[in-house]
Amino acid sequence: MDKMTWADLIDFLPTLLHGLAYSLGISAVVIVFSIIAGVCVAFMRVSRYRSVRGPVLAYVEFIRCTPALVQLYYIFYVLPIFGLTLEALTAGIVGFTIIYTAYLSEVFRAAINSVAKTQIEAAISLGMSNQQARRLVIIPQAARVALPPTVNYLLSLIKDTSLLSIITIQEIMFRGLILASQTFKYFTILTEVAFLYFCVCFPLTILARRLEAKFERELGYGKSNGEKKKNFFAVGPWGASKS
Amino acid sequence: MKNEALIHDGTVSFKGVWKDFGGVPVLRGIDLDIASGEILALLGQSGSGKTTLLRCVNGLEVIQKGTIEVGGELIQDSAKGKNSLSSDIAQIRQSIGIVFQQFNLFPHMTVMENICVAQIKVLGRSEEIARDRARSLLDRVGLLEKAESRPLQLSGGQQQRVAIARTLAMDPRVLLLDEVTSSLDPQMTNDVLRVIGDVAKDGITLIVVTHEMGFARHVANRAVFMHEGVVAEDAPAKELFENPQNENTKKFLAAVLSHQ
């Protein structure tokens, strides 16, 4: 085992930080694309038309049930056989966007479904169009529900970008492995790589937890919408809600 | 204004209204004409169809047979086939307010925003006018100091009063009240009933589904007793309470009044 020294750690740091910047940059681009596409896919998933729901469901399940590693290899090494050659960075971004769109669409779908039907009734009863109800009432509430799990997915995306080392993208893991194979200081380098990932990801877990607590308080989730338990009062045998 | 109101008076007319849920009939041929400004109490046991009837008026429930008109506009017409709703339903709903048992305020907005959002986005009022209107309504329901609170920071009774203010801000011609006190304790119920009693003086058509018999008798000028999806008795409120004709009405009132 190599001996860990400050000199080595500092020596490797610029290269690894450069790689980390790559990882984070890719993650940022992917999460933005995936959120946009994921919202669209989620609304397609709750469409009343089966011809819309069906294909989207097939895509989501296919992605969820095959490993990211296989998918990335497929895009980078198999698609060129069919004449579609993507540059490594493009392949990585496209690949992860396809993968995380599927993951996030499930989060968004659940969030949309968590908004009570009575909220939609209240909105359209005030004369809102379906589109206004979606924009003013459903999405703002669903977004609050979806944000904490989305942060958690960002966290897992940042870690998953290490897979891009296998398609020659110079992110932190790739650089770390190159350095290690040149210097044989695997212990020092991989520890440093792990530590750098941790420094980025740990604050995100705290952020996710805080957001969750905040929105739970704000929207009262876990209780039925708009009703606080302590105010509940059953009125005789006719109190049954038929609405 | 962005959208002209389609409805100019508060008449409501049901003709031969049928509705079933998955084959179980809930409304079985309702014929009922309600005059503008009338205050109608809809009474009946659970399952008699009164809440369903109320929800048909603004198209939250779709009927299978018959027609429903509000202010002379056809809201639902079963002759149109599977979807009987008017294509102008969103515009018509501006003029038909509904207050729900569970309040259904928007939890992500403040009280003020709850009352302003539809005024601005649906009626096209300026923010300033909407806020002025909201303030005067909040004052009327006694909650002006809660304007910047979130709904979940309020008690149930307070939330319900905000919900009433939110609905009134749209200047409805018809106001539907669906068991609005059923999830409140007696003190809060009184606060809400006081507000409704006050609203009843406005000349808006009120259709009230309630189990508060004292309130119904006091405020309503007409009472309809529903039984198993049909109108069993329809009379001036005072008469229906003091001298019910229908056997089921008598039984119901005897049970309810001995209970209260």
Side-chain angles (χ1 to χ4, degrees):
Chain A
M1 191 174 75
D2 52 298
K3 194 161 173 283
M4 199 184 291
T5 63
W6 283 111
D8 277 345
L9 286 171
I10 291 163
D11 214 23
F12 298 139
L13 192 60
T15 309
L16 294 180
L17 280 180
H18 197 175
L20 184 65
Y22 234 92
S23 305
L24 296 181
I26 292 170
S27 300
V29 173
V30 168
I31 203 77
V32 169
F33 285 159
S34 300
I35 287 172
I36 297 167
V39 169
C40 299
V41 170
F43 274 108
M44 289 164 83
R45 281 277 271 119
V46 298
S47 162
R48 78 187 100 160
Y49 303 108
R50 190 176 297 175
S51 56
V52 175
R53 279 193 325 254
V56 168
L57 175 66
Y59 151 67
V60 171
E61 290 305 328
F62 180 76
I63 296 296
R64 293 209 310 168
C65 298
T66 49
L69 189 58
V70 175
Q71 291 156 2
L72 288 173
Y73 265 118
Y74 209 89
I75 288 171
F76 195 60
Y77 293 109
V78 179
L79 288 188
I81 300 172
F82 298 102
L84 183 63
T85 309
L86 296 175
E87 193 224 330
L89 188 59
T90 316
I93 288 174
V94 168
F96 270 125
T97 300
I98 291 172
I99 296 166
Y100 274 82
T101 295
Y103 293 166
L104 287 179
S105 74
E106 281 296 285
V107 170
F108 299 154
R109 183 186 61 86
I112 291 166
N113 285 341
S114 78
V115 179
K117 193 169 152 264
T118 52
Q119 286 284 305
I120 299 161
E121 287 187 349
I124 61 172
S125 293
L126 288 165
M128 289 186 196
S129 63
N130 288 332
Q131 203 224 336
Q132 282 177 321
R134 209 165 19 234
R135 192 161 41 91
L136 299 168
V137 176
I138 304 176
I139 291 180
Q141 291 183 56
R144 286 165 167 82
V145 176
L147 195 55
T150 302
V151 172
N152 281 326
Y153 269 111
L154 172 61
L155 179 93
S156 89
L157 170 63
I158 291 171
K159 295 182 295 174
D160 277 358
T161 54
S162 60
L163 293 174
L164 293 176
S165 60
I166 55 117
I167 60 168
T168 71
I169 290 177
Q170 308 226 337
E171 46 71 65
I172 176 168
M173 189 64 189
F174 183 87
R175 287 172 197 252
L177 289 174
I178 298 279
L179 275 181
S181 64
Q182 286 164 352
T183 61
F184 295 103
K185 294 183 173 167
Y186 279 92
F187 171 57
T188 307
I189 290 167
L190 287 178
T191 307
E192 195 168 1
V193 166
F195 179 73
L196 289 174
Y197 272 118
F198 181 83
C199 289
V200 172
C201 291
F202 184 60
L204 285 177
T205 66
I206 294 173
L207 176 68
R209 223 170 293 152
R210 293 229 171 124
L211 287 172
E212 200 169 343
K214 176 172 144 63
F215 293 143
E216 249 169 44
R217 218 169 36 240
E218 241 178 67
L219 299 186
Y221 279 99
K223 301 165 199 151
S224 74
N225 237 325
E227 173 201 329
K228 281 206 243 165
K229 238 208 168 96
K230 68 180 172 101
N231 295 326
F232 191 78
F233 187 79
V235 187
W238 322 276
S241 158
K242 296 177 298 284
S243 312
Chain B
M1 273 206 192
K2 204 152 131 196
N3 277 327
E4 280 298 317
L6 275 179
I7 287 172
H8 297 289
D9 70 57
T11 56
V12 179
S13 168
F14 301 90
K15 289 201 172 62
V17 170
W18 277 75
K19 160 95 191 157
D20 63 61
F21 286 113
V24 181
V26 180
L27 301 177
R28 301 184 300 143
I30 302 279
D31 289 294
L32 198 60
D33 282 297
I34 302 167
S36 198
E38 201 159 30
I39 298 168
L40 179 92
L42 265 183
L43 311 174
Q45 282 163 314
S46 272
S48 60
K50 54 197 191 311
T51 286
T52 305
L53 187 67
L54 192 81
R55 288 164 55 87
C56 288
V57 176
N58 75 344
L60 287 180
E61 302 291 351
V62 174
I63 60 176
Q64 276 104 26
K65 271 193 225 166
T67 59
I68 300 175
E69 279 182 28
V70 176
E73 281 288 323
L74 210 48
I75 297 251
Q76 301 208 42
D77 179 1
S78 61
K80 284 174 63 190
K82 206 173 160 199
N83 188 355
S84 67
L85 288 182
S86 160
S87 52
D88 296 322
I89 188 71
Q91 211 177 334
I92 293 172
R93 278 179 180 139
Q94 294 165 23
S95 307
I96 306 175
I98 182 164
V99 181
F100 302 92
Q101 184 180 348
Q102 293 303 336
F103 337 128
N104 300 351
L105 293 175
F106 305 130
H108 60 298
M109 298 181 187
T110 63
V111 164
M112 180 56 90
E113 288 163 347
N114 262 280
I115 302 176
C116 288
V117 62
Q119 290 190 70
I120 295 168
K121 301 290 182 181
V122 176
L123 296 180
R125 288 181 186 158
S126 73
E127 184 160 346
E128 199 182 329
I129 290 174
R131 290 179 73 90
D132 277 350
R133 187 74 214 281
R135 267 192 291 270
S136 79
L137 284 166
L138 279 174
D139 193 31
R140 186 172 177 185
V141 301
L143 290 170
L144 192 52
E145 78 283 1
K146 299 290 186 188
E148 298 309 318
S149 302
R150 297 251 175 190
L152 291 180
Q153 296 168 331
L154 306 181
S155 73
Q158 290 171 331
Q159 287 188 57
Q160 193 59 295
R161 285 184 278 155
V162 172
I164 292 169
R166 176 173 74 174
T167 301
L168 290 178
M170 303 298 285
D171 297 319
R173 294 290 173 153
V174 177
L175 183 55
L176 312 171
L177 303 174
D178 182 12
E179 298 191 32
V180 295
T181 59
S182 292
S183 49
L184 303 177
D185 69 29
Q187 173 57 45
M188 292 173 182
T189 296
N190 286 338
D191 292 342
V192 169
L193 293 184
R194 200 172 312 127
V195 168
I196 295 170
D198 181 44
V199 171
K201 295 173 198 144
D202 286 6
I204 304 173
T205 306
L206 279 184
I207 307 179
V208 186
V209 170
T210 185
H211 296 300
E212 299 289 335
M213 292 303 143
F215 174 74
R217 181 178 190 163
H218 189 70
V219 170
N221 41 39
R222 180 175 167 194
V224 164
F225 179 76
M226 288 182 66
H227 188 71
E228 293 177 351
V230 296
V231 173
E233 188 161 356
D234 178 359
K238 195 168 177 300
E239 224 166 274
L240 187 132
F241 278 103
E242 285 171 9
N243 188 18
Q245 300 298 311
N246 182 286
E247 279 311 309
N248 289 310
T249 316
K250 286 180 192 167
K251 259 189 259 169
F252 175 76
L253 288 177
V256 174
L257 295 177
S258 72
H259 189 86
Q260 282 189 343

